[in-house]
Amino acid sequence: MENPMARKPSPADTDPAALKGHIRDSANHIWLAGLGAFAKAQQEGSKVFDSLIKDGLHMQQQTQQVAEEKIAQATHTMSHLASQFTERAGGSWDRLETLFEQRVAKAMHRLGWPSADDVAALHARIAALEQTLAQGTSTQAAPNAKHPATQRASAQSPAPQAPGAKRTKPAATKARAATKTTRSPQR
């Protein structure tokens, strides 16, 4: 088939009417070719468009799957790091708390304040003395019977001294006097 655009104009084509007809035919052929291409593109285009949609959907699913895997890995890594940080920070706080308690206890000891163990021992002694007193008041109904606690107290009481002799303080009084002198007056 001969291409009308590729041939050289002949002397008969130099006629303006023939030239006009030739241009009209060429324009019509171009128009028809464009319409044919458009029709073919519509027929093939919907198939291509559907194919592109399927490919895009497949690509989106793959991308989402990869993104979810990466997010899961990042979440696992961050939770592991957070737990390690919490463990380290907790251990540091425990050591700091212990150190603080030791220093406060040492400072209180230097000031002469009783420790928690000292207070607990005093509470135990007070409870024992209250129990002894409660038993002593129940046995006073029999005045001739001596209670073991009163026997212990009389055995520990000092012997009578001569009128001019100097009295000595009992050991418990000396201990209380010693703690009073070591305590800070700013309390």
Side-chain angles (χ1 to χ4, degrees):
M1 173 175 212
E2 189 179 322
N3 186 355
M5 299 291 280
R7 55 184 177 148
K8 286 187 175 183
S10 64
D13 288 337
T14 55
D15 180 28
L19 189 59
K20 241 184 192 181
H22 181 63
I23 291 176
R24 196 177 291 152
D25 286 342
S26 292
N28 192 23
H29 286 288
I30 292 172
W31 172 254
L32 291 175
L35 281 177
F38 180 70
K40 192 158 191 119
Q42 276 186 326
Q43 290 173 356
E44 297 289 323
S46 65
K47 291 178 187 176
V48 170
F49 187 70
D50 290 340
S51 174
L52 289 174
I53 288 174
K54 287 179 185 176
D55 290 345
L57 184 60
H58 180 69
M59 181 63 108
Q60 181 181 8
Q61 290 171 345
Q62 285 180 338
T63 305
Q64 284 178 340
Q65 185 180 5
V66 169
E68 288 172 357
E69 289 173 2
K70 294 294 181 183
I71 288 172
Q73 287 175 350
T75 302
H76 176 70
T77 303
M78 292 307 290
S79 65
H80 181 68
L81 289 174
S83 66
Q84 283 181 342
F85 177 75
T86 303
E87 288 174 11
R88 288 180 185 166
S92 296
W93 279 112
D94 289 343
R95 284 190 301 250
L96 182 63
E97 183 180 2
T98 302
L99 181 66
F100 179 75
E101 288 174 353
Q102 288 173 349
R103 290 202 177 163
V104 167
K106 192 183 290 184
M108 289 176 67
H109 179 71
R110 275 190 239 136
L111 293 172
W113 289 24
S115 69
D117 293 336
D118 295 338
V119 172
L122 286 175
H123 282 291
R125 284 182 61 195
I126 290 171
L129 288 173
E130 286 175 344
Q131 186 179 14
T132 303
L133 283 175
Q135 289 174 356
T137 56
S138 65
T139 58
Q140 280 185 1
N144 292 337
K146 280 199 167 185
H147 190 271
T150 55
Q151 289 175 352
R152 218 179 306 129
S154 64
Q156 290 177 355
S157 63
Q161 294 181 346
K166 187 176 179 182
R167 289 186 149 204
T168 59
K169 292 183 180 180
T173 309
K174 287 181 182 178
R176 262 187 266 127
T179 58
K180 284 183 181 177
T181 57
T182 59
R183 287 190 183 165
S184 173
Q186 297 177 358
R187 210 169 55 139

